[in-house]
Amino acid sequence: NALRNQMNPHFVYNALNSIQNYIFKKDTENANHYLTQFSRLMRSILELSKLEYISLQREVEFLKNYMELEQMRFPNQFDFQINFDESIFLEDYFIPPLLLQPILENSVKYAFKNVDYKGLIELIIEVFEDKNQINI
C-alpha cells in the first residue's frame, strides 16, 4: 500500500486535466497520445506496486513513460536523459518498485520553477566493479 501511495495524487489530477485541456483545444492527436501514455503508467503502477522487487530495466521503462508525460505537461521546460554503460544488463539488477519516481517528480516540480531556461534532468546508472552495488 505504501508503494501505491508514492505516486502523488496531484500528478494524477494534473494528468487528467492535461488530457482534458487537449480535448478542449480539439488536439485529438496529443489527447490520444497522452491518454495512452497515462493509461500505461497507471497500469504499470498497479502491476509494479504488488511486487517486492523489479528489474532495473522495468523501473527505467516506467520512468521513461512517466517523464514523457511530464514533458508533455511542461513543454520546453526540461530535457530528460537516462545514461548508463551499455555493457550493464539492467535486467540483472533489482530494486524496490517506484523507488525513483518521487525523486524525479520533485525534480520536475522544483528544479525549474524559477528559471528562464530549459533544464536537464539526467539519471545516471553506474555499477561498481564488484557488480554487487549500483549507484543511481
Side-chain angles (χ1 to χ4, degrees):
N1 286 338
L3 288 172
R4 264 178 250 168
N5 292 331
Q6 280 186 340
M7 178 65 71
N8 187 330
H10 290 126
F11 168 75
V12 174
Y13 177 79
N14 291 334
L16 292 172
N17 278 340
S18 293
I19 294 167
Q20 185 179 42
N21 187 39
Y22 286 126
I23 292 169
F24 286 152
K25 290 180 178 178
K26 299 188 184 331
D27 186 350
T28 54
E29 185 176 331
N30 277 325
N32 285 330
H33 178 72
Y34 200 101
L35 184 58
T36 300
Q37 293 300 103
F38 181 70
S39 64
R40 281 188 191 135
L41 187 78
M42 291 296 106
R43 182 179 182 153
S44 292
I45 290 168
L46 294 172
E47 289 174 354
L48 299 178
S49 65
K50 296 176 189 175
L51 304 173
E52 191 172 345
Y53 295 98
I54 62 168
S55 73
L56 194 50
Q57 179 64 41
R58 283 187 79 182
E59 181 81 355
V60 164
E61 289 166 4
F62 171 81
L63 294 173
K64 284 179 183 177
N65 187 12
Y66 170 74
M67 293 301 284
E68 182 178 333
L69 286 171
E70 290 290 61
Q71 285 180 305
M72 287 182 72
R73 278 187 54 221
F74 302 107
N76 300 315
Q77 189 169 4
F78 65 91
D79 287 323
F80 176 66
Q81 297 175 356
I82 299 176
N83 294 313
F84 59 93
D85 185 336
E86 294 297 324
S87 67
I88 299 171
F89 191 56
L90 297 180
E91 287 288 332
D92 289 343
Y93 300 92
F94 292 84
I95 62 172
L98 310 175
L99 181 68
L100 303 173
Q101 183 277 329
I103 297 166
L104 292 178
E105 182 174 0
N106 281 333
S107 295
V108 170
K109 187 174 181 179
Y110 298 111
F112 311 111
K113 194 173 190 174
N114 296 314
V115 297
D116 58 355
Y117 55 87
K118 189 174 188 176
L120 172 66
I121 298 174
E122 182 179 22
L123 185 69
I124 301 170
I125 302 170
E126 300 172 311
V127 175
F128 292 105
E129 286 184 28
D130 63 6
K131 301 215 185 270
N132 289 325
Q133 294 181 2
I134 56 175
N135 182 39
I136 300 174

